[in-house]
Amino acid sequence: MTSTWTSTEQVVRINAPGGPEQMQLVAVETGMPGVGEVRLRHKACGLNYIDIYHRSGVYPLPMPATLGMEGAGVVEAVGEGVTHLAVGDRVAYASPPPGAYATARVLPARSVCKLPDSIDFETGAAMMLKGLTAQYLLRRTLPQGGLQAGDAVLFHAAAGGVGLIACQWAKALGLRLIGTAGSDEKCELALQAGAAHVINYRREPDFAARVRELTEGHGVKVVYDSVGADTWEGSLNSLAPFGLLASFGNASGVVPPLNLGLLSAKGSLYVTRPTLFTHLATREASQAMADELFAMVASGAIKIPVEQRYALSDVVQAHREMEARKTTGCSVLLA
């Protein structure tokens, strides 16, 4: 691509890690894609808790930094070597590096996928990071012997963006998902989405004891935990022998150092700390995972609940509400 065409775009940027007030909407020059890249005009951008980790410095970024890991829009230009996309394609993505909080951007084409006509841009922007996370957890991050219909799993933050998708996906797989949430309203949302049982951990802080009751003392085969410090010990205590704890987030803080002896004492347990972008490392894997997600959404088995919409200029408010756990389902910025 030899053109030097550029345009002035609105981008959310931080100059130092910190609170929501660090985010500023600035004008930047956005150019054309290079080899293996694509330029997109966003219609909507997804909001996720990983954005807060980037903004606050939990996951450090070089400064100044742009934020946002997923979006949906229309291809404006493709770079050399990109064969799966063309100008005018409707697309959606979840991909590093951050930069989705923008009216337009250039990014690696590897994880950008054509969006089926049956899926609108808001849904596409809201579902990629969260939906692909649910996919790699329930389909690829599995306990010894895998998961079969009827198996019990524990999923924390079941009324969050990932959680509500996971509740639906687990139901479609025939799994008995036990969710946790922090209010009766959120518990009801998870039940409506397909959770078999939901524990309000504010009223039942010893959720592990309740998990044991619900599983007749056996525990669950796998715990999917994005909460971190506050749920770590209870998650380990909820597992059956040979069970797997998949820790994929730190919403309440980083988990404490692990004494490996606990794993033997509690029943030869397994622990993993997976990331979505390890799974999306190749074009083939990205497409296969997206195809499965698109099929589940197109079939109606999974509905993407876009509950909050914010203008790009209201990103500070959006982050404050996410951190205060005032949001449910998925949230998007409208570019």
Side-chain angles (χ1 to χ4, degrees):
M1 185 70 66
T2 58
S3 172
T4 57
W5 171 64
T6 63
S7 63
T8 301
E9 303 296 339
Q10 297 295 302
V11 174
V12 174
R13 179 170 286 174
I14 59 173
N15 292 310
E21 68 282 354
Q22 291 289 341
M23 294 183 293
Q24 298 179 343
L25 192 61
V26 299
V28 301
E29 292 296 311
T30 302
M32 296 296 281
V35 176
E37 293 181 329
V38 63
R39 174 180 165 127
L40 306 181
R41 179 146 304 275
H42 284 133
K43 298 296 184 179
C45 315
L47 285 154
N48 297 281
Y49 221 90
I50 192 174
D51 306 342
I52 293 173
Y53 296 156
H54 285 148
R55 190 209 71 223
S56 64
V58 173
Y59 296 166
L61 295 175
M63 296 293 159
T66 53
L67 299 176
M69 300 297 292
E70 69 175 343
V74 177
V75 174
E76 290 190 324
V78 296
E80 182 181 344
V82 177
T83 58
H84 69 288
L85 299 172
V87 173
D89 283 348
R90 301 172 71 255
V91 295
Y93 69 89
S95 174
Y101 292 7
T103 50
R105 72 175 296 196
V106 173
L107 77 160
R110 180 183 63 237
S111 297
V112 180
C113 300
K114 287 184 183 180
L115 188 65
D117 291 340
S118 59
I119 300 175
D120 62 56
F121 287 119
E122 287 187 14
T123 301
M127 77 178 186
M128 292 299 284
L129 191 143
K130 291 172 280 290
L132 292 173
T133 297
Q135 196 276 348
Y136 91 75
L137 290 172
L138 291 172
R139 303 287 286 155
R140 293 170 174 245
T141 309
L142 302 175
Q144 187 181 84
L147 289 172
Q148 287 79 41
D151 284 342
V153 305
L154 176 62
F155 207 103
H156 290 299
V162 176
L164 289 176
I165 295 172
C167 287
Q168 297 173 79
W169 209 318
K171 183 178 180 180
L173 294 172
L175 301 175
R176 190 157 61 100
L177 185 144
I178 302 169
T180 67
S183 70
D184 289 342
E185 178 186 21
K186 289 187 174 184
C187 286
E188 183 58 32
L189 285 173
L191 287 170
Q192 291 174 3
H197 307 277
V198 185
I199 302 165
N200 183 338
Y201 59 78
R202 297 195 188 280
R203 285 210 257 113
E204 292 186 86
D206 188 1
F207 63 83
R210 180 68 176 137
V211 168
R212 293 285 173 182
E213 290 179 11
L214 292 169
T215 58
E216 299 180 341
H218 298 298
V220 296
K221 293 185 72 172
V222 59
V223 178
Y224 298 110
D225 190 339
S226 63
V227 176
D230 288 354
T231 52
W232 177 252
E233 184 176 355
S235 292
L236 288 172
N237 291 336
S238 299
L239 286 167
F242 306 107
L244 170 67
L245 171 50
S247 174
F248 68 103
N250 316 299
S252 68
V254 177
V255 300
L258 173 62
N259 175 359
L260 290 176
L262 283 175
L263 302 183
S264 62
K266 293 180 182 294
S268 299
L269 303 182
Y270 296 79
V271 173
T272 185
R273 182 55 171 91
T275 69
L276 171 61
F277 298 118
T278 308
H279 288 274
L280 295 177
T282 68
R283 168 76 202 133
E284 293 76 16
S286 296
Q287 192 65 59
M289 292 170 66
D291 285 346
E292 187 169 355
L293 173 62
F294 293 156
M296 293 293 285
V297 173
S299 73
I302 292 177
K303 301 185 187 306
I304 305 299
V306 181
E307 303 289 356
Q308 294 82 213
R309 296 168 177 84
Y310 305 90
L312 197 60
S313 57
D314 291 330
V315 67
V316 171
Q317 175 191 349
H319 271 231
R320 285 178 174 153
E321 291 182 1
M322 279 200 298
E323 283 188 293
R325 301 189 185 184
K326 292 182 178 179
T327 61
T328 57
C330 303
S331 303
V332 296
L333 295 172
L334 302 178

